[in-house]
Amino acid sequence: MRRIFSNPITALLGGACLRLLFVLKFPSNSGDTVIYDQLAANWLKFGKYAMNVNGRLIPVDLRLPGYPAFLALIYALTGRTGDRARLYVMLAQIVIDLATCALVASLAVLLASLWSSPGRTRRIFVAGLWLAALCPFTANYVAVPLTEVWATFFTTASLAVLLLIALKARGHQIPDIPLKIANWDYWKLVALGGFLVGMGTLFRPESPLLLITTCFLLGCWLLRQGQFKRFVFTSALLGFACLLPLLPWMIRNARTLHEFQPLAPKDATLPTEIDPRGFMAWEKTWLYRFKDCYLVPWKLNDEAINIEDLPANAFDSEEEKQRVAEVLEKYNGETNWTADEDALFAQIAKERTARHPLRTYLWIPLRRSVRIWFTPRIELLPVSGNVFPLRSMWVQDPVDQRVTILFFLLNIAYVCLALWGTCRLWSYTGARAAVVLLLFYVVVRTAFLTTLETPEPRYVLVCFPVLLAFAAQVMAGRQETPAPTPRSKAT
């Protein structure tokens, strides 16, 4: 049995079975799924990256072209579109996600090489592979047409290459590990790292945070060593390589939409819609729970928003609640958001922030951070996700509550394992730079996510490869003496 479970193929087969379970038993859709599907179908059929607006094809830039291109490829290969091609899309995402599992294991091996003996790399690779393959929080997103699978793949690949770049820039001699790119020339790695980030940006617009965090730390390390030229050339090559995959998109936006848009608008709306900036500013003064997204922001321009669905912390007084109720009553009449209504919410948001600035800029973002990291992550499963009140929920649906609690505890277990592995790495001086780089990215990305319109737990999934790679270090066993930290002159 030990030989069977120490075989990487067994781990991949186990991961494939878990993903097939989600695909066959719990397939899901999202509001964004309709947008991606329409963009892909119009691109394939009419050669236009556009959406149907009032019976006309209107070119848009509200989503980056990576995922629609993937869908269009599947549609072209299968001769089917939309729901009829959904199974093929999910099966392709299973393959991509299993490749991500192998990349997570490789990242774990790279981290282990900084503190553990070479003989343990296989054990850590297999441990990382099992942890990633059986992680239900990333696995269940193969069953929904969203960007998470591809975004996690490119993020993991980028992190592995950027970590190698940082280690070589600091003068670390990479130990002999079974990763061929570890022996690549420094500048080839820089070009590859930038290109991978650029490819990831075609799926998620916040992917350049990888370059920002890496360049910041490289600046701190290299400038302190007096290597100004190396820092400048490294940053320039990373940026240039990142822009290469984005150039066709930028040219298309300039020619078709007459705008400079290298990514996608932060608040994406159709040409016929009002950008609800005032409404979103008001949300940021109180919204931190994911379940409130279904009751308020995701109903805008589609359904009526009931004042009774808003939590008590959305109002500072009865007078303010009455003002909000009056605007919502007017909106509910036609469920069509107007500029006047948005201006009223912008004024309420301004007043709330003036009264409690720390609430808007510190406490709500902190609450959002805790929520998106410590959540049951059952948004794609047919369960409510409600644990409290315990007695009442147990009487109503004990199976629902048990599943929710199980996923909640499992999420905590992954985080705790990652913290344990991080502490183990930190105890070895040669591994601290790697820990700083990876944790800095996780912190910056989490801080960025708190500024988005809604606190969706899925946005933090691209950080899970870091958690899994850290957690794999726990499985290596205890090393009695720290591995030497060889250093050589940076190449």
Side-chain angles (χ1 to χ4, degrees):
M1 290 296 292
R2 171 181 277 185
R3 181 175 297 179
I4 292 174
F5 284 100
S6 64
N7 191 325
I9 295 178
T10 306
L12 291 174
L13 288 175
C17 290
L18 176 63
R19 285 153 180 78
L20 280 172
L21 173 66
F22 283 119
V23 167
L24 298 177
K25 293 293 185 180
F26 307 107
S28 184
N29 282 313
S30 168
D32 283 349
T33 300
V34 178
I35 298 175
Y36 290 127
D37 177 66
Q38 195 175 132
L39 288 170
N42 289 334
W43 198 358
L44 184 64
K45 187 175 181 180
F46 303 107
K48 293 183 178 180
Y49 194 77
M51 291 192 66
N52 302 319
V53 182
N54 297 327
R56 296 169 52 210
L57 279 181
I58 303 296
V60 294
D61 64 352
L62 74 169
R63 293 294 187 275
L64 284 155
Y67 199 72
F70 165 67
L71 292 181
L73 177 62
I74 299 296
Y75 296 168
L77 292 175
T78 62
R80 302 181 180 185
T81 60
D83 292 338
R84 295 187 305 153
R86 197 58 46 83
L87 179 60
Y88 297 101
V89 171
M90 294 177 181
L91 292 176
Q93 291 189 160
I94 288 178
V95 176
I96 300 302
D97 205 44
L98 291 176
T100 302
C101 294
L103 288 173
V104 169
S106 299
L107 180 62
V109 167
L110 179 56
L111 289 172
S113 70
L114 302 174
W115 73 275
S116 184
S117 59
R120 304 188 184 196
T121 55
R122 178 179 173 81
R123 182 192 300 181
I124 293 177
F125 180 87
V126 173
L129 198 56
W130 274 109
L131 285 170
L134 298 184
C135 178
F137 310 121
T138 54
N140 65 349
Y141 270 89
V142 304
V144 59
L146 286 173
T147 60
E148 267 55 47
V149 170
W150 279 100
T152 307
F153 171 81
F154 280 113
T155 298
T156 311
S158 300
L159 282 171
V161 177
L162 292 174
L163 180 56
L164 281 171
I165 293 169
L167 293 173
K168 290 197 173 190
R170 283 175 56 84
H172 284 264
Q173 182 180 346
I174 307 300
D176 185 20
I177 54 178
L179 295 176
K180 290 184 178 180
I181 64 169
N183 298 319
W184 279 24
D185 177 73
Y186 175 80
W187 296 109
K188 287 183 180 180
L189 284 173
V190 172
L192 176 62
F195 183 79
L196 288 172
V197 173
M199 290 297 297
T201 306
L202 290 174
F203 291 86
R204 295 295 310 174
E206 68 274 12
S207 295
L209 287 174
L210 285 160
L211 288 192
I212 294 173
T213 53
T214 301
C215 288
F216 176 82
L217 291 177
L218 283 176
C220 294
W221 293 329
L222 293 179
L223 295 179
R224 188 164 52 186
Q225 298 173 8
Q227 299 188 49
F228 177 76
K229 288 184 177 180
R230 173 177 285 269
F231 168 66
V232 171
F233 287 141
T234 299
S235 301
L237 183 53
L238 282 171
F240 177 76
C242 178
L243 281 176
L244 283 179
L246 298 172
L247 277 178
W249 173 245
M250 296 167 63
I251 294 171
R252 176 264 181 187
N253 289 338
R255 294 182 60 182
T256 305
L257 304 177
H258 309 290
E259 65 178 16
F260 174 74
Q261 180 55 268
L263 301 174
K266 183 177 183 292
D267 303 319
T269 55
L270 291 172
T272 57
E273 294 178 337
I274 298 295
D275 190 357
R277 295 186 178 182
F279 186 82
M280 290 188 289
W282 170 70
E283 285 176 342
K284 291 178 181 178
T285 66
W286 63 270
L287 178 62
Y288 68 92
R289 298 183 305 184
F290 179 57
K291 69 177 184 178
D292 290 330
C293 297
Y294 293 97
L295 302 175
V296 185
W298 288 348
K299 287 186 174 182
L300 197 66
N301 280 323
D302 288 319
E303 303 177 50
I305 300 175
N306 300 316
I307 190 71
E308 294 80 12
D309 290 335
L310 293 169
N313 67 313
F315 318 105
D316 286 339
S317 65
E318 284 298 319
E319 183 270 337
E320 183 180 293
K321 183 175 182 179
Q322 183 60 33
R323 289 168 63 192
V324 172
E326 290 174 358
V327 180
L328 291 181
E329 184 179 1
K330 184 179 178 181
Y331 157 76
N332 290 340
E334 298 181 356
T335 61
N336 183 39
W337 195 246
T338 66
D340 291 340
E341 292 163 353
D342 197 62
L344 291 172
F345 268 94
Q347 180 60 34
I348 295 174
K350 183 177 180 181
E351 293 170 3
R352 285 173 59 84
T353 299
R355 282 194 296 269
H356 302 288
L358 285 179
R359 175 179 61 189
T360 300
Y361 299 119
L362 180 60
W363 302 125
I364 294 298
L366 282 176
R367 280 183 158 190
R368 285 188 170 198
S369 299
V370 173
R371 286 279 177 164
I372 62 178
W373 273 107
F374 297 95
T375 175
R377 302 191 187 283
I378 44 72
E379 59 268 20
L380 297 182
L381 299 177
V383 294
S384 69
N386 294 322
V387 176
F388 300 102
L390 286 171
R391 188 184 189 91
S392 174
M393 289 304 302
W394 183 266
V395 172
Q396 291 181 30
D397 195 336
V399 175
D400 185 302
Q401 193 185 45
R402 282 199 294 265
V403 171
T404 301
I405 292 175
L406 173 64
F407 272 69
F408 175 68
L409 294 177
L410 187 59
N411 184 79
I412 291 179
Y414 269 100
V415 174
C416 290
L417 272 177
L419 291 175
W420 185 0
T422 303
C423 292
R424 171 167 290 187
L425 281 166
W426 190 258
S427 64
Y428 295 89
T429 306
R432 290 182 181 177
V435 173
V436 169
L437 176 66
L438 297 178
L439 285 185
F440 186 52
Y441 167 69
V442 171
V443 170
V444 170
R445 181 174 175 83
T446 302
F448 170 79
L449 294 178
T450 64
T451 68
L452 299 182
E453 175 190 355
T454 52
E456 296 187 57
R458 67 185 176 101
Y459 290 148
V460 81
L461 285 178
V462 298
C463 296
F464 263 64
V466 176
L467 266 69
L468 297 168
F470 281 153
Q473 310 307 308
V474 178
M475 312 300 176
R478 195 68 180 166
Q479 178 155 308
E480 297 180 359
T481 57
T485 308
R487 299 180 66 88
S488 66
K489 186 177 179 180
T491 55

